[in-house]
Amino acid sequence: MSATDLLHTHLFGPVDGPEVLALHGLTGHGRRWRNLAERHLPHLRFVAPDLRGHGRSPWTPPWSCEAHIADLKAVLDAHTTGPVTVVGHSFGGALALHLAAAVPDRVRALVLLDPAIGLPADRMLEIADLTLHNPDYTDEAEARAEKVHGDWGEVAPELLDEEIAEHLVELDSGRVNWRICVPALVTSWGELARGPVLPPAGIPTIFVQAGKVQPPYTTSNFRRDLAERLGDDLTLFEFDCNHMIDQARPAETAELVARMV
């Protein structure tokens, strides 16, 4: 992989700190981890890429899980020195599982924050279709309102302000959207309909479910299979919040991450 193909990666914390690979969800970006890293876990080295098709990383295809994993292996090569704790939110949780399955020797532990994986195909088709027909916003006020009245309703206002300043851009049409590639986003909804991947036995894993998300982003069958695979290496939590766990509950999230490094 050439230098121009490397993901744009945000780095937080001391170079010699315990290493954490932090993976955002769909429509997100790596800088979202700044609050958790700098305010709550400043002794850790956070390596937080913008996934392909997101933020300032390349937007070119392919956008498959296999392509994302190839990207992430290159990030590990460039920015880490040994096995890492992987923290993944939503789609980032799915990629964390794929990464652990692909290169288990490079994953020390997993922290899965309301991961999205193995979801019903008809539901993913509906969301992909909505994305195609409503890909952007009239203005900043509309984009902000969607966040406030959706998954970001419990997030501190200053974090939403940072999100908008970093990630909302004006389009050639005069409308606005998050700094994302819409075709990549549509493809990724399809990837979430793929069969779920389980990590190898023996990888310590924390799974946090957002209790207010209904239906949940994982199936009961996946949660059962994960428990059977990992046994005592799996610890389950449910937070009484919406989907943006690390943004809405950073202190509690930090406690869990600190356990796994």
Side-chain angles (χ1 to χ4, degrees), residues 88-91 112-116 208-210 213 217-218 242-243 245:
H89 172 250
S90 195
F91 183 65
L112 307 174
L113 304 175
D114 212 29
V208 186
Q209 186 166 337
V213 175
Y217 282 112
T218 55
N242 281 314
H243 188 49
I245 288 177

Side-chain angles (χ1 to χ4, degrees), residues 24-214:
H24 66 79
L26 293 179
T27 78
H29 55 96
R31 195 175 182 276
R32 276 187 184 170
W33 298 100
R34 186 197 65 81
N35 179 63
L36 183 68
E38 293 187 348
R39 298 183 185 175
H40 298 274
L41 295 165
H43 63 293
L44 301 184
R45 178 64 164 180
F46 268 70
V47 177
D50 296 343
L51 297 175
R52 182 172 293 270
H54 292 71
R56 294 175 169 84
S57 283
W59 285 15
T60 50
W63 304 300
S64 63
C65 285
E66 290 81 5
H68 285 298
I69 296 311
D71 286 339
L72 294 176
K73 287 192 283 187
V75 169
L76 292 176
D77 290 341
H79 297 291
T80 67
T81 60
V84 299
T85 295
V86 185
V87 181
H89 172 250
S90 195
F91 183 65
L95 293 182
L97 290 162
H98 279 275
L99 186 67
V103 286
D105 57 312
R106 307 193 71 170
V107 176
R108 179 191 303 118
L110 295 171
V111 180
L112 307 174
L113 304 175
D114 212 29
I117 190 168
L119 294 173
D122 55 350
R123 182 179 171 200
M124 294 302 97
L125 174 60
E126 180 182 355
I127 295 173
D129 191 55
L130 286 171
T131 302
L132 279 175
H133 287 90
N134 302 280
D136 51 32
Y137 307 91
T138 303
D139 52 24
E140 178 186 318
E142 185 181 15
R144 181 185 292 272
E146 183 189 64
K147 294 284 194 191
V148 169
H149 298 295
D151 290 340
W152 286 66
E154 299 164 308
V155 177
E158 61 268 22
L159 294 183
L160 179 54
D161 290 342
E162 287 186 23
E163 177 77 5
I164 288 172
E166 165 67 18
H167 200 46
L168 194 69
V169 294
E170 185 173 349
L171 306 176
D172 292 341
S173 64
R175 293 171 65 83
V176 300
N177 200 8
W178 310 113
R179 197 188 303 269
I180 55 172
C181 173
V182 172
L185 181 58
V186 172
T187 298
S188 297
W189 291 121
E191 290 294 280
L192 289 181
R194 292 171 55 154
V197 171
L198 296 173
I203 293 185
T205 299
I206 285 176
F207 181 111
V208 186
Q209 186 166 337
K212 293 183 180 179
V213 175
Q214 296 297 328

